[in-house]
Amino acid sequence: MKPQFDLASLVRKNILSLKPYSSARDEFSGSEGIFLDANENPFGTYNRYPDPRQKALKKALSELKDMPQEQIFIGNGSDEVIDLIFRVFGNPGTDSVIICPPTYGMYEVSANINDIRVIPIPLRDDFQLDIDAILERIRKDESVKLVFVCSPNNPTGNTLRDIDAILDNFNGIVVIDEAYIDFCPESSHLADLRQYPNLIVMQTFSKAWALAGARVGIAYAQPEIIALLNKTKPPYNVSKLNQEAALKALSKKKTTQYRIATILEQKKILAEKLPTLSFVKKVYPSDANFLLVEMENADAVYTHLIEKKVITRNRSSQVKNCIRITVGSPKENRILMNELKKMEQ
Ligand code: PMP
């Protein structure tokens, strides 16, 4: 049986006892008055510090996701959220994290930056989790504080099954990175937050919301975990411009829905057309906005495309002979297909 979850025992002692910085906007959060408290410049448009708690954005997200605001954290992209999770829970030099490659590279880099040992438990050949190996490691190795999974997974594109088996048997922190979830909303684990106090679900405005340039990432978790992330983050981690951009995107849900539908339609067309090329061996099924494509010679295809100014991602070092192709606009995808067809001649 799963032992009792004890959040305090998972948190680094220095973070537990940390007295966070109290910013001017924390101490006075009203919007009316003459502001002479934060050494800001009285002139200009972006002269004021942003809301350190991103209240307006959290309110809008709370309504969209039916999630209490205390369970929402906003980061400077989800890359900041990944780093904060390691800083809150990982004791440098002693704790470890399980990751399941091939997967998003920042889990490992961020762990390395924070001196957290990385235990790779590769996905099986079908790109699903090796649950038995993960559970065995968790059982035997007390240094494992965190498990990171990505679903839909980058770069394979598939949704991971059986994450519940980890949640049911592990009392450390389980992070599910749902960066691509809006392309496949039925697979979200947000509802599991009611059941699992050790779960953190990450999402982002960078993909379906088309705001990679703005840097707005999200974490959903129990209020106690959100409070720890809040006290560890830099005071003004999400700029006013970023918060405004995210709010604007949320107010234009129809545009986002239309874009998602277009991307999904284009993905379907690409997934049908790519296998007609003689050098394409396999197009992996994808629940995201990209396709992992196995080629006869991925390096040659990748280089040819670069020469034609079509930039894809060569993922051969992660999955043999594979290129990851992001689904572009209809025109971009047509150009991609034309350039690939030329390789057959
Ligand atoms: N998670 C995954 C799985 C990703 O693929 C990426 C970016 N490619 C990120 C997180 C980073 O997202 P953000 O732009 O919100 O930092």
Side-chain angles (χ1 to χ4, degrees):
M1 207 186 79
K2 179 168 155 160
Q4 205 70 54
F5 172 67
D6 176 15
L7 181 62
S9 72
L10 292 173
V11 180
R12 281 169 67 192
K13 297 273 176 298
N14 62 314
I15 300 292
L16 260 190
S17 61
L18 179 74
K19 192 173 174 299
Y21 178 73
S22 178
S23 71
R25 284 298 150 269
D26 280 321
E27 283 172 23
F28 182 85
S29 58
S31 56
E32 299 287 310
I34 297 171
F35 287 92
L36 305 176
D37 58 346
N39 296 349
E40 295 154 335
N41 192 313
F43 310 112
T45 312
Y46 286 101
N47 55 328
R48 300 291 172 194
Y49 281 107
D51 174 6
R53 301 285 153 167
Q54 307 102 13
K55 287 185 286 296
L57 180 52
K58 284 181 186 167
K59 183 168 181 288
L61 265 178
S62 164
E63 283 159 17
L64 178 74
K65 301 282 177 176
D66 192 21
M67 180 73 60
Q69 289 180 49
E70 319 78 70
Q71 292 195 240
I72 305 175
F73 175 83
I74 308 290
N76 196 285
S78 22
D79 285 339
E80 185 189 40
V81 182
I82 296 169
D83 177 65
L84 280 170
I85 293 171
F86 281 121
R87 284 204 275 159
V88 168
F89 295 104
N91 284 291
T94 39
D95 289 340
S96 48
V97 58
I98 290 178
I99 63 167
C100 304
T103 192
Y104 181 46
M106 274 308 287
Y107 312 143
E108 180 162 4
V109 173
S110 207
N112 287 338
I113 290 168
N114 288 287
D115 198 14
I116 308 303
R117 191 161 56 105
V118 173
I119 302 172
I121 301 189
L123 297 175
R124 301 180 320 209
D125 288 346
D126 62 355
F127 293 151
Q128 287 297 329
L129 294 167
D130 188 344
I131 290 291
D132 291 343
I134 293 171
L135 295 186
E136 195 191 337
R137 188 69 193 228
I138 286 166
R139 236 185 346 260
K140 284 190 180 157
D141 187 346
E142 287 193 355
S143 78
V144 180
K145 276 283 189 65
L146 298 136
V147 177
F148 268 77
V149 294
C150 183
S151 182
N153 186 42
N154 174 12
T156 57
N158 60 307
T159 299
L160 298 182
R161 297 188 299 265
D162 303 329
I163 300 174
D164 294 1
I166 306 174
L167 287 161
D168 282 331
N169 291 285
F170 180 51
N171 261 324
I173 298 295
V174 179
V175 182
I176 308 180
D177 184 348
E178 296 190 339
Y180 299 96
I181 200 66
D182 297 304
F183 300 105
C184 183
E186 59 274 16
S187 305
S188 176
H189 285 263
L190 274 188
D192 289 346
L193 287 171
R194 285 190 217 110
Q195 204 181 330
Y196 298 108
N198 55 337
L199 172 62
I200 301 176
V201 177
M202 293 198 314
Q203 296 185 357
T204 179
F205 277 87
S206 293
K207 311 295 175 182
W209 294 96
L211 281 182
R215 315 305 302 129
V216 187
I218 314 156
Y220 300 96
Q222 298 310 312
E224 295 76 14
I225 292 181
I226 298 300
L228 287 161
L229 295 172
N230 272 328
K231 89 175 193 176
T232 310
K233 78 177 179 69
Y236 303 113
N237 62 325
V238 185
S239 81
K240 199 170 173 184
L241 289 155
N242 301 9
Q243 294 185 42
E244 285 171 0
L247 261 173
K248 195 169 159 200
L250 287 176
S251 74
K252 294 185 171 178
K253 267 193 271 319
K254 282 243 158 66
T255 306
T256 298
Q257 278 163 359
Y258 173 76
R259 288 173 175 169
I260 292 173
T262 306
I263 289 166
L264 293 179
E265 197 180 279
Q266 287 295 307
K267 179 173 73 171
K268 194 163 171 271
I269 294 171
L270 277 181
E272 280 163 11
K273 285 194 176 156
L274 283 163
T276 64
L277 299 163
S278 60
F279 51 87
V280 168
K281 288 174 79 177
K282 180 165 184 167
V283 178
Y284 285 96
S286 165
D287 292 321
N289 65 334
F290 56 84
L291 290 166
L292 186 71
V293 187
E294 190 187 348
M295 308 283 182
E296 256 163 26
N297 186 348
D299 291 348
V301 177
Y302 173 73
T303 313
H304 167 85
L305 286 175
I306 293 254
E307 279 162 11
K308 303 295 172 192
K309 296 196 163 44
V310 177
I311 324 301
T312 61
R313 199 91 198 263
N314 191 346
R315 297 281 78 182
S316 297
S317 61
Q318 290 188 298
V319 191
K320 200 167 171 258
N321 256 334
C322 280
I323 286 178
R324 193 193 66 194
I325 302 176
T326 305
V327 180
S329 67
K331 184 177 168 200
E332 288 170 338
N333 300 332
R334 267 197 305 277
I335 295 171
L336 164 82
M337 281 310 300
N338 283 341
E339 292 304 339
L340 286 172
K341 274 181 202 149
K342 283 184 201 161
M343 280 194 83
E344 294 210 285
Q345 288 154 13

Short mmCIF file of all heavy atoms in Angstrom, two decimals, residues 186-241:
data_model
loop_
_atom_site.label_atom_id
_atom_site.label_comp_id
_atom_site.label_asym_id
_atom_site.label_seq_id
_atom_site.Cartn_x
_atom_site.Cartn_y
_atom_site.Cartn_z
N GLU A 186 -8.67 15.45 -24.25
CA GLU A 186 -9.29 14.33 -23.51
C GLU A 186 -8.27 13.53 -22.70
O GLU A 186 -8.64 12.76 -21.80
CB GLU A 186 -10.10 13.42 -24.44
CG GLU A 186 -9.36 12.78 -25.57
CD GLU A 186 -9.29 13.68 -26.82
OE1 GLU A 186 -9.54 14.89 -26.73
OE2 GLU A 186 -8.95 13.15 -27.87
N SER A 187 -6.99 13.73 -22.98
CA SER A 187 -5.98 12.97 -22.23
C SER A 187 -5.46 13.72 -21.00
O SER A 187 -4.54 13.23 -20.34
CB SER A 187 -4.77 12.68 -23.13
OG SER A 187 -5.18 12.01 -24.29
N SER A 188 -6.00 14.88 -20.68
CA SER A 188 -5.43 15.66 -19.58
C SER A 188 -5.60 14.96 -18.22
O SER A 188 -6.60 14.29 -17.98
CB SER A 188 -6.09 17.04 -19.51
OG SER A 188 -5.59 17.74 -18.39
N HIS A 189 -4.61 15.18 -17.37
CA HIS A 189 -4.64 14.63 -16.01
C HIS A 189 -5.06 15.67 -14.98
O HIS A 189 -4.93 15.42 -13.78
CB HIS A 189 -3.27 14.06 -15.65
CG HIS A 189 -3.00 12.75 -16.32
ND1 HIS A 189 -3.20 11.54 -15.71
CD2 HIS A 189 -2.57 12.48 -17.57
CE1 HIS A 189 -2.90 10.57 -16.55
NE2 HIS A 189 -2.52 11.11 -17.68
N LEU A 190 -5.59 16.80 -15.43
CA LEU A 190 -5.96 17.85 -14.47
C LEU A 190 -6.95 17.33 -13.42
O LEU A 190 -6.84 17.66 -12.24
CB LEU A 190 -6.59 19.04 -15.20
CG LEU A 190 -5.64 20.10 -15.76
CD1 LEU A 190 -6.43 21.30 -16.26
CD2 LEU A 190 -4.62 20.54 -14.73
N ALA A 191 -7.89 16.50 -13.86
CA ALA A 191 -8.91 16.00 -12.91
C ALA A 191 -8.28 15.13 -11.82
O ALA A 191 -8.81 15.03 -10.72
CB ALA A 191 -9.97 15.22 -13.66
N ASP A 192 -7.12 14.54 -12.10
CA ASP A 192 -6.45 13.69 -11.11
C ASP A 192 -5.93 14.46 -9.91
O ASP A 192 -5.55 13.88 -8.90
CB ASP A 192 -5.26 12.94 -11.76
CG ASP A 192 -5.74 11.87 -12.72
OD1 ASP A 192 -6.94 11.54 -12.69
OD2 ASP A 192 -4.91 11.39 -13.51
N LEU A 193 -5.86 15.79 -10.05
CA LEU A 193 -5.37 16.60 -8.92
C LEU A 193 -6.26 16.43 -7.70
O LEU A 193 -5.79 16.59 -6.57
CB LEU A 193 -5.30 18.08 -9.32
CG LEU A 193 -4.17 18.45 -10.28
CD1 LEU A 193 -4.34 19.87 -10.77
CD2 LEU A 193 -2.81 18.28 -9.60
N ARG A 194 -7.52 16.11 -7.91
CA ARG A 194 -8.44 15.91 -6.78
C ARG A 194 -8.04 14.69 -5.96
O ARG A 194 -8.27 14.61 -4.77
CB ARG A 194 -9.87 15.72 -7.28
CG ARG A 194 -10.47 17.01 -7.74
CD ARG A 194 -11.96 16.87 -8.01
NE ARG A 194 -12.28 17.70 -9.15
CZ ARG A 194 -12.62 17.24 -10.33
NH1 ARG A 194 -12.73 15.96 -10.54
NH2 ARG A 194 -12.86 18.07 -11.32
N GLN A 195 -7.43 13.74 -6.63
CA GLN A 195 -7.13 12.46 -6.01
C GLN A 195 -5.69 12.33 -5.51
O GLN A 195 -5.43 11.61 -4.55
CB GLN A 195 -7.37 11.39 -7.09
CG GLN A 195 -7.68 10.02 -6.59
CD GLN A 195 -7.86 9.11 -7.79
OE1 GLN A 195 -8.27 9.54 -8.87
NE2 GLN A 195 -7.53 7.84 -7.62
N TYR A 196 -4.77 13.03 -6.19
CA TYR A 196 -3.35 12.81 -5.89
C TYR A 196 -2.68 14.11 -5.42
O TYR A 196 -2.41 15.02 -6.21
CB TYR A 196 -2.62 12.31 -7.14
CG TYR A 196 -3.12 10.98 -7.64
CD1 TYR A 196 -3.88 10.90 -8.81
CD2 TYR A 196 -2.85 9.80 -6.96
CE1 TYR A 196 -4.34 9.68 -9.28
CE2 TYR A 196 -3.30 8.58 -7.41
CZ TYR A 196 -4.05 8.53 -8.58
OH TYR A 196 -4.50 7.33 -9.05
N PRO A 197 -2.36 14.17 -4.12
CA PRO A 197 -1.76 15.41 -3.59
C PRO A 197 -0.32 15.63 -4.06
O PRO A 197 0.22 16.72 -3.89
CB PRO A 197 -1.79 15.19 -2.07
CG PRO A 197 -1.85 13.71 -1.88
CD PRO A 197 -2.57 13.16 -3.07
N ASN A 198 0.30 14.60 -4.63
CA ASN A 198 1.71 14.72 -5.05
C ASN A 198 1.86 15.00 -6.54
O ASN A 198 2.94 14.91 -7.09
CB ASN A 198 2.48 13.45 -4.70
CG ASN A 198 1.85 12.19 -5.28
OD1 ASN A 198 0.65 12.17 -5.57
ND2 ASN A 198 2.63 11.14 -5.47
N LEU A 199 0.75 15.35 -7.19
CA LEU A 199 0.79 15.56 -8.65
C LEU A 199 0.95 17.04 -9.00
O LEU A 199 0.31 17.91 -8.40
CB LEU A 199 -0.53 15.03 -9.25
CG LEU A 199 -0.79 15.31 -10.74
CD1 LEU A 199 0.28 14.68 -11.62
CD2 LEU A 199 -2.17 14.79 -11.15
N ILE A 200 1.83 17.30 -9.97
CA ILE A 200 1.93 18.64 -10.58
C ILE A 200 1.69 18.47 -12.07
O ILE A 200 2.36 17.66 -12.72
CB ILE A 200 3.33 19.28 -10.36
CG1 ILE A 200 3.65 19.41 -8.87
CG2 ILE A 200 3.41 20.64 -11.05
CD1 ILE A 200 5.06 19.96 -8.59
N VAL A 201 0.71 19.19 -12.60
CA VAL A 201 0.46 19.15 -14.06
C VAL A 201 0.95 20.47 -14.65
O VAL A 201 0.56 21.54 -14.19
CB VAL A 201 -1.05 18.97 -14.36
CG1 VAL A 201 -1.30 19.02 -15.86
CG2 VAL A 201 -1.57 17.66 -13.78
N MET A 202 1.84 20.36 -15.63
CA MET A 202 2.33 21.58 -16.29
C MET A 202 1.66 21.75 -17.65
O MET A 202 1.48 20.76 -18.38
CB MET A 202 3.85 21.47 -16.54
CG MET A 202 4.68 21.45 -15.30
SD MET A 202 6.40 21.83 -15.64
CE MET A 202 6.73 20.84 -17.03
N GLN A 203 1.30 22.98 -17.95
CA GLN A 203 0.82 23.31 -19.30
C GLN A 203 1.51 24.60 -19.72
O GLN A 203 2.31 25.15 -18.97
CB GLN A 203 -0.71 23.43 -19.31
CG GLN A 203 -1.40 22.10 -18.98
CD GLN A 203 -2.92 22.14 -19.09
OE1 GLN A 203 -3.51 23.17 -19.38
NE2 GLN A 203 -3.55 21.00 -18.85
N THR A 204 1.23 25.06 -20.92
CA THR A 204 1.94 26.24 -21.42
C THR A 204 1.11 27.01 -22.44
O THR A 204 0.23 26.43 -23.08
CB THR A 204 3.29 25.83 -22.06
OG1 THR A 204 3.95 26.99 -22.56
CG2 THR A 204 3.10 24.86 -23.22
N PHE A 205 1.42 28.30 -22.56
CA PHE A 205 0.80 29.10 -23.61
C PHE A 205 1.61 29.03 -24.91
O PHE A 205 1.26 29.66 -25.89
CB PHE A 205 0.69 30.56 -23.16
CG PHE A 205 -0.52 30.83 -22.29
CD1 PHE A 205 -0.47 30.63 -20.92
CD2 PHE A 205 -1.71 31.24 -22.85
CE1 PHE A 205 -1.58 30.86 -20.13
CE2 PHE A 205 -2.83 31.48 -22.08
CZ PHE A 205 -2.77 31.28 -20.71
N SER A 206 2.71 28.27 -24.90
CA SER A 206 3.63 28.30 -26.04
C SER A 206 3.17 27.53 -27.27
O SER A 206 3.69 27.75 -28.35
CB SER A 206 4.99 27.73 -25.63
OG SER A 206 5.63 28.55 -24.70
N LYS A 207 2.25 26.62 -27.09
CA LYS A 207 1.93 25.71 -28.21
C LYS A 207 0.55 26.06 -28.80
O LYS A 207 0.46 26.85 -29.71
CB LYS A 207 1.99 24.25 -27.74
CG LYS A 207 3.27 23.91 -26.96
CD LYS A 207 4.50 24.02 -27.82
CE LYS A 207 5.76 23.78 -27.00
NZ LYS A 207 6.97 23.92 -27.79
N ALA A 208 -0.52 25.48 -28.26
CA ALA A 208 -1.85 25.72 -28.83
C ALA A 208 -2.25 27.19 -28.73
O ALA A 208 -3.00 27.69 -29.58
CB ALA A 208 -2.87 24.83 -28.13
N TRP A 209 -1.77 27.89 -27.70
CA TRP A 209 -2.15 29.29 -27.54
C TRP A 209 -1.26 30.23 -28.35
O TRP A 209 -1.43 31.45 -28.29
CB TRP A 209 -2.15 29.67 -26.05
CG TRP A 209 -3.20 28.95 -25.27
CD1 TRP A 209 -3.03 27.80 -24.55
CD2 TRP A 209 -4.59 29.28 -25.16
NE1 TRP A 209 -4.22 27.41 -23.99
CE2 TRP A 209 -5.20 28.30 -24.35
CE3 TRP A 209 -5.39 30.32 -25.66
CZ2 TRP A 209 -6.56 28.32 -24.04
CZ3 TRP A 209 -6.73 30.35 -25.35
CH2 TRP A 209 -7.31 29.35 -24.55
N ALA A 210 -0.30 29.67 -29.04
CA ALA A 210 0.52 30.42 -30.02
C ALA A 210 1.30 31.57 -29.39
O ALA A 210 1.47 32.63 -29.99
CB ALA A 210 -0.38 30.95 -31.16
N LEU A 211 1.82 31.36 -28.18
CA LEU A 211 2.53 32.44 -27.50
C LEU A 211 3.93 32.03 -27.02
O LEU A 211 4.35 32.44 -25.93
CB LEU A 211 1.70 32.92 -26.28
CG LEU A 211 0.54 33.86 -26.56
CD1 LEU A 211 -0.13 34.27 -25.26
CD2 LEU A 211 1.00 35.10 -27.32
N ALA A 212 4.64 31.26 -27.84
CA ALA A 212 5.98 30.84 -27.42
C ALA A 212 6.88 32.05 -27.14
O ALA A 212 7.73 32.02 -26.25
CB ALA A 212 6.61 29.93 -28.47
N GLY A 213 6.66 33.13 -27.90
CA GLY A 213 7.48 34.32 -27.73
C GLY A 213 7.21 35.06 -26.43
O GLY A 213 8.04 35.84 -25.96
N ALA A 214 6.05 34.83 -25.86
CA ALA A 214 5.69 35.58 -24.65
C ALA A 214 6.21 34.94 -23.37
O ALA A 214 6.38 35.62 -22.37
CB ALA A 214 4.18 35.76 -24.57
N ARG A 215 6.47 33.64 -23.37
CA ARG A 215 6.98 32.93 -22.20
C ARG A 215 5.98 32.90 -21.04
O ARG A 215 6.10 33.62 -20.06
CB ARG A 215 8.32 33.52 -21.69
CG ARG A 215 9.37 33.83 -22.73
CD ARG A 215 9.70 32.63 -23.58
NE ARG A 215 10.17 31.51 -22.79
CZ ARG A 215 9.66 30.28 -22.89
NH1 ARG A 215 8.68 30.01 -23.73
NH2 ARG A 215 10.13 29.31 -22.16
N VAL A 216 4.97 32.10 -21.17
CA VAL A 216 4.00 31.93 -20.08
C VAL A 216 3.71 30.43 -19.90
O VAL A 216 3.13 29.79 -20.77
CB VAL A 216 2.67 32.68 -20.34
CG1 VAL A 216 1.77 32.61 -19.10
CG2 VAL A 216 2.93 34.14 -20.71
N GLY A 217 4.18 29.90 -18.79
CA GLY A 217 3.94 28.49 -18.47
C GLY A 217 3.05 28.38 -17.24
O GLY A 217 2.93 29.34 -16.46
N ILE A 218 2.44 27.22 -17.09
CA ILE A 218 1.47 27.05 -15.99
C ILE A 218 1.78 25.76 -15.24
O ILE A 218 2.14 24.75 -15.86
CB ILE A 218 0.03 26.93 -16.54
CG1 ILE A 218 -0.24 28.00 -17.60
CG2 ILE A 218 -1.01 27.02 -15.41
CD1 ILE A 218 -1.36 27.62 -18.56
N ALA A 219 1.59 25.80 -13.92
CA ALA A 219 1.57 24.55 -13.14
C ALA A 219 0.28 24.52 -12.35
O ALA A 219 -0.16 25.54 -11.79
CB ALA A 219 2.76 24.49 -12.19
N TYR A 220 -0.35 23.35 -12.34
CA TYR A 220 -1.54 23.12 -11.50
C TYR A 220 -1.17 22.09 -10.45
O TYR A 220 -0.57 21.05 -10.79
CB TYR A 220 -2.70 22.58 -12.34
CG TYR A 220 -3.15 23.49 -13.47
CD1 TYR A 220 -2.67 23.30 -14.76
CD2 TYR A 220 -4.05 24.52 -13.24
CE1 TYR A 220 -3.09 24.12 -15.81
CE2 TYR A 220 -4.47 25.35 -14.27
CZ TYR A 220 -3.99 25.15 -15.55
OH TYR A 220 -4.40 25.96 -16.57
N ALA A 221 -1.51 22.36 -9.20
CA ALA A 221 -1.19 21.41 -8.12
C ALA A 221 -2.00 21.80 -6.89
O ALA A 221 -2.78 22.77 -6.92
CB ALA A 221 0.31 21.42 -7.82
N GLN A 222 -1.77 21.07 -5.80
CA GLN A 222 -2.42 21.44 -4.53
C GLN A 222 -1.95 22.83 -4.11
O GLN A 222 -0.80 23.20 -4.38
CB GLN A 222 -2.05 20.43 -3.44
CG GLN A 222 -2.50 19.02 -3.71
CD GLN A 222 -3.96 18.97 -4.10
OE1 GLN A 222 -4.81 19.57 -3.43
NE2 GLN A 222 -4.28 18.27 -5.18
N PRO A 223 -2.80 23.58 -3.38
CA PRO A 223 -2.41 24.94 -2.96
C PRO A 223 -1.07 24.96 -2.21
O PRO A 223 -0.30 25.91 -2.37
CB PRO A 223 -3.56 25.36 -2.03
CG PRO A 223 -4.73 24.55 -2.46
CD PRO A 223 -4.19 23.25 -2.97
N GLU A 224 -0.79 23.92 -1.43
CA GLU A 224 0.46 23.92 -0.65
C GLU A 224 1.68 23.86 -1.58
O GLU A 224 2.72 24.48 -1.30
CB GLU A 224 0.51 22.70 0.30
CG GLU A 224 -0.55 22.71 1.40
CD GLU A 224 -1.94 22.32 0.91
OE1 GLU A 224 -2.06 21.79 -0.22
OE2 GLU A 224 -2.91 22.56 1.65
N ILE A 225 1.57 23.11 -2.66
CA ILE A 225 2.69 23.04 -3.62
C ILE A 225 2.80 24.36 -4.38
O ILE A 225 3.90 24.90 -4.57
CB ILE A 225 2.49 21.85 -4.60
CG1 ILE A 225 2.63 20.53 -3.84
CG2 ILE A 225 3.50 21.94 -5.76
CD1 ILE A 225 2.49 19.28 -4.70
N ILE A 226 1.66 24.92 -4.77
CA ILE A 226 1.67 26.22 -5.48
C ILE A 226 2.31 27.29 -4.59
O ILE A 226 3.11 28.11 -5.05
CB ILE A 226 0.23 26.63 -5.88
CG1 ILE A 226 -0.38 25.60 -6.84
CG2 ILE A 226 0.21 28.04 -6.47
CD1 ILE A 226 0.33 25.40 -8.14
N ALA A 227 2.00 27.26 -3.29
CA ALA A 227 2.57 28.25 -2.36
C ALA A 227 4.09 28.13 -2.31
O ALA A 227 4.80 29.14 -2.24
CB ALA A 227 1.97 28.07 -0.96
N LEU A 228 4.60 26.90 -2.38
CA LEU A 228 6.06 26.71 -2.35
C LEU A 228 6.71 27.26 -3.63
O LEU A 228 7.77 27.88 -3.58
CB LEU A 228 6.38 25.20 -2.22
CG LEU A 228 6.10 24.59 -0.84
CD1 LEU A 228 5.99 23.07 -0.95
CD2 LEU A 228 7.19 25.00 0.14
N LEU A 229 6.06 27.02 -4.78
CA LEU A 229 6.59 27.56 -6.03
C LEU A 229 6.57 29.08 -5.99
O LEU A 229 7.52 29.75 -6.39
CB LEU A 229 5.78 27.05 -7.23
CG LEU A 229 5.84 25.54 -7.50
CD1 LEU A 229 4.84 25.14 -8.59
CD2 LEU A 229 7.25 25.10 -7.90
N ASN A 230 5.47 29.64 -5.44
CA ASN A 230 5.35 31.10 -5.34
C ASN A 230 6.43 31.70 -4.48
O ASN A 230 6.99 32.73 -4.79
CB ASN A 230 3.98 31.47 -4.76
CG ASN A 230 2.93 31.59 -5.84
OD1 ASN A 230 3.24 31.97 -6.97
ND2 ASN A 230 1.71 31.24 -5.51
N LYS A 231 6.74 31.05 -3.38
CA LYS A 231 7.71 31.68 -2.49
C LYS A 231 9.14 31.55 -3.02
O LYS A 231 10.01 32.30 -2.63
CB LYS A 231 7.54 31.19 -1.05
CG LYS A 231 8.27 29.98 -0.59
CD LYS A 231 8.00 29.84 0.93
CE LYS A 231 8.93 28.85 1.56
NZ LYS A 231 8.77 28.75 3.01
N THR A 232 9.35 30.62 -3.95
CA THR A 232 10.70 30.41 -4.48
C THR A 232 10.96 31.22 -5.75
O THR A 232 12.11 31.52 -6.08
CB THR A 232 10.91 28.90 -4.78
OG1 THR A 232 10.51 28.17 -3.62
CG2 THR A 232 12.35 28.57 -5.11
N LYS A 233 9.93 31.58 -6.48
CA LYS A 233 10.11 32.27 -7.77
C LYS A 233 10.64 33.69 -7.57
O LYS A 233 10.43 34.28 -6.51
CB LYS A 233 8.78 32.32 -8.51
CG LYS A 233 7.82 33.40 -8.00
CD LYS A 233 6.55 33.44 -8.82
CE LYS A 233 5.57 34.49 -8.31
NZ LYS A 233 5.99 35.88 -8.52
N PRO A 234 11.29 34.24 -8.61
CA PRO A 234 11.62 35.67 -8.54
C PRO A 234 10.31 36.47 -8.45
O PRO A 234 9.30 36.07 -9.02
CB PRO A 234 12.32 35.95 -9.87
CG PRO A 234 12.73 34.61 -10.39
CD PRO A 234 11.75 33.62 -9.85
N PRO A 235 10.34 37.60 -7.74
CA PRO A 235 9.08 38.31 -7.46
C PRO A 235 8.26 38.63 -8.73
O PRO A 235 7.06 38.38 -8.76
CB PRO A 235 9.54 39.60 -6.77
CG PRO A 235 10.94 39.38 -6.34
CD PRO A 235 11.51 38.24 -7.11
N TYR A 236 8.93 39.18 -9.73
CA TYR A 236 8.17 39.59 -10.93
C TYR A 236 8.54 38.70 -12.10
O TYR A 236 9.06 39.16 -13.12
CB TYR A 236 8.49 41.05 -11.25
CG TYR A 236 8.20 42.00 -10.10
CD1 TYR A 236 9.23 42.66 -9.44
CD2 TYR A 236 6.90 42.22 -9.67
CE1 TYR A 236 8.97 43.53 -8.39
CE2 TYR A 236 6.62 43.08 -8.62
CZ TYR A 236 7.67 43.73 -7.98
OH TYR A 236 7.40 44.59 -6.94
N ASN A 237 8.32 37.40 -11.96
CA ASN A 237 8.82 36.46 -12.96
C ASN A 237 8.09 36.52 -14.29
O ASN A 237 8.62 36.12 -15.31
CB ASN A 237 8.79 35.02 -12.40
CG ASN A 237 7.39 34.54 -12.06
OD1 ASN A 237 6.56 35.32 -11.61
ND2 ASN A 237 7.13 33.26 -12.26
N VAL A 238 6.85 37.01 -14.29
CA VAL A 238 6.11 37.08 -15.56
C VAL A 238 5.80 38.54 -15.86
O VAL A 238 5.05 39.19 -15.12
CB VAL A 238 4.80 36.25 -15.51
CG1 VAL A 238 4.12 36.24 -16.86
CG2 VAL A 238 5.10 34.81 -15.06
N SER A 239 6.38 39.05 -16.94
CA SER A 239 6.26 40.48 -17.23
C SER A 239 4.82 40.88 -17.50
O SER A 239 3.96 40.04 -17.80
CB SER A 239 7.13 40.85 -18.43
OG SER A 239 6.44 40.51 -19.62
N LYS A 240 4.58 42.17 -17.43
CA LYS A 240 3.25 42.70 -17.71
C LYS A 240 2.85 42.39 -19.16
O LYS A 240 1.71 42.04 -19.44
CB LYS A 240 3.29 44.21 -17.48
CG LYS A 240 1.95 44.83 -17.27
CD LYS A 240 2.13 46.27 -16.80
CE LYS A 240 0.77 46.94 -16.76
NZ LYS A 240 0.86 48.34 -16.41
N LEU A 241 3.83 42.53 -20.06
CA LEU A 241 3.58 42.23 -21.48
C LEU A 241 3.14 40.78 -21.64
O LEU A 241 2.18 40.49 -22.38
CB LEU A 241 4.85 42.47 -22.30
CG LEU A 241 5.28 43.91 -22.49
CD1 LEU A 241 6.77 44.00 -22.74
CD2 LEU A 241 4.50 44.54 -23.63
#
